[in-house]
Amino acid sequence: MKKRPSTVCPIVYALDIWGDPWSLVILRDVLIHNKRHYREFLASRERISTNILSARLQSLVDAGLLVKTEGDSNRAQTMYRPTQKALDLFPVVFAIMHWGLKYNPNTDMTIPIMQELTTNEKGLELRLLQNFEDVTS
Amino acid sequence: MKKRPSTVCPIVYALDIWGDPWSLVILRDVLIHNKRHYREFLASRERISTNILSARLQSLVDAGLLVKTEGDSNRAQTMYRPTQKALDLFPVVFAIMHWGLKYNPNTDMTIPIMQELTTNEKGLELRLLQNFEDVTS
DNA sequence: TAAATGTACTTGCATATCGCAAGTACATGA
DNA sequence: TCATGTACTTGCGATATGCAAGTACATTTA
């Protein structure tokens, strides 16, 4: 992703941070599927490759959306957790999901989130936010 | 932008259509700044290059977000208008703008839209939609 | 009416980014 | 000790992008 210099437009600012094809997939996994570990992101259906995953995690940390905590003497404990700045993307992610739900005929409606999104979005958001009480409190 | 085959995830579906760094800039110009012509998109602050603009307009037409109408015997009349599928991105665009407003310290608050977004989002959306009554009616 | 200008593109080319496969360094488990 | 797992990095060919230039057609200006 190219870096546009400081922009005056909030949309371009956002795109410069997570407007590539992969960052939002990672953020979706963090926010909605409660993933924390490198191995979990790798396992997503979309099959992100390791070099890209590594680079995107790094850039999301640099942009202040994720915080990386490394376990002492065990790399398997490395975790990526969202900051408030990432949690504030919930409305964006939900809006995108609404749009995708309307127009993607292949959406898998058996994913529990999908039903709840249409029937009880606010409740869904509050429930998901409970995964991050350490951040929000 | 790579094409992932048909996805089951509404977010990935959306990203495959407008998840590149430029499509949303064009859609912003169509939806919010009421632009219709190639020359108007070219004039944006972000300085999209002609080959990219041409390719993105084409892919947005292919994805059913824009409709291209060519003037008879005058290319200067060529217009790109949003479909309902594009108008349904208003909530997405607004959500992104809210996030960008919160975190981009360089946002130009003198752009009239910015004030209105925070004080009267629904009114703003309705007013902007009046630009597209031919689509929505 | 000839020349200049504008518009919507396409083309070429250097560079950046990506997908994929493989390798690395360290830790745990059998 | 040997296999396995985890979080990466590296190499390389393929794709996408940025930039400059060119093209074809229409209108405007002199």
Side-chain angles (χ1 to χ4, degrees):
Chain A
M1 179 88 178
K2 71 176 263 241
K3 343 126 200 287
R4 279 171 279 225
S6 73
T7 177
V8 121
C9 170
I11 294 177
V12 174
Y13 170 82
L15 291 178
D16 282 348
I17 293 177
W18 47 261
D20 66 287
W22 286 112
S23 294
L24 254 196
V25 172
I26 295 172
L27 289 167
R28 172 203 67 184
D29 285 347
V30 170
L31 295 177
I32 294 187
H33 299 120
N34 209 27
K35 296 185 180 179
R36 297 289 177 273
H37 298 279
Y38 187 92
R39 57 183 176 280
E40 296 177 301
F41 302 124
L42 256 197
S44 289
R45 252 190 288 255
E46 289 80 17
R47 310 212 123 281
I48 189 171
S49 50
T50 59
N51 52 349
I52 307 292
L53 175 57
S54 186
R56 288 291 151 249
L57 288 172
Q58 182 62 53
S59 83
L60 290 173
V61 168
D62 291 345
L65 296 198
L66 298 181
V67 173
K68 176 180 184 175
T69 58
E70 318 196 25
D72 33 335
S73 81
N74 188 353
R75 303 212 300 166
Q77 294 169 7
T78 303
M79 286 178 64
Y80 295 89
R81 266 179 289 220
T83 63
Q84 183 63 47
K85 191 173 181 178
L87 297 184
D88 283 334
L89 282 174
F90 263 119
V92 173
V93 169
F94 283 164
I96 295 174
M97 285 180 76
H98 277 297
W99 188 84
L101 271 173
K102 178 167 180 179
Y103 289 105
N104 179 11
N106 299 315
T107 300
D108 180 4
M109 290 305 290
T110 66
I111 302 174
I113 305 287
M114 301 300 164
Q115 303 285 349
E116 201 170 352
L117 181 70
T118 54
T119 59
N120 183 21
E121 173 176 326
K122 200 58 195 171
L124 173 62
E125 178 171 350
L126 290 176
R127 183 164 58 74
L128 291 175
L129 277 174
Q130 291 176 3
N131 297 324
F132 313 100
E133 282 174 340
D134 53 325
V135 179
T136 52
S137 62
Chain B
M1 176 90 179
K2 71 175 263 241
K3 344 127 205 287
R4 280 171 277 225
S6 71
T7 177
V8 120
C9 171
I11 293 176
V12 174
Y13 171 83
L15 291 177
D16 282 347
I17 293 177
W18 47 262
D20 67 285
W22 286 112
S23 293
L24 254 197
V25 172
I26 295 173
L27 289 166
R28 172 203 67 183
D29 285 347
V30 170
L31 295 176
I32 294 188
H33 299 120
N34 209 26
K35 296 185 180 179
R36 298 287 177 273
H37 298 280
Y38 187 93
R39 57 184 176 280
E40 296 177 300
F41 301 124
L42 256 196
S44 289
R45 251 190 289 254
E46 289 80 17
R47 309 211 123 280
I48 186 170
S49 50
T50 60
N51 54 349
I52 306 291
L53 174 57
S54 186
R56 288 290 150 251
L57 287 172
Q58 182 63 53
S59 82
L60 289 173
V61 168
D62 292 345
L65 296 198
L66 298 180
V67 173
K68 176 181 184 173
T69 59
E70 318 197 25
D72 34 335
S73 81
N74 188 352
R75 301 211 303 166
Q77 294 168 9
T78 303
M79 287 178 64
Y80 296 89
R81 265 179 291 219
T83 62
Q84 183 61 49
K85 191 172 182 179
L87 297 183
D88 283 334
L89 282 174
F90 263 119
V92 173
V93 170
F94 283 164
I96 294 174
M97 286 179 74
H98 277 296
W99 188 86
L101 272 173
K102 178 166 181 180
Y103 289 106
N104 180 10
N106 299 314
T107 300
D108 180 4
M109 289 306 289
T110 67
I111 302 175
I113 305 286
M114 301 300 165
Q115 303 285 350
E116 202 170 353
L117 181 70
T118 55
T119 59
N120 183 21
E121 172 175 327
K122 199 60 195 170
L124 173 62
E125 178 171 350
L126 290 175
R127 183 165 58 73
L128 291 175
L129 277 173
Q130 290 175 4
N131 296 325
F132 312 100
E133 281 173 340
D134 53 326
V135 179
T136 53
S137 63

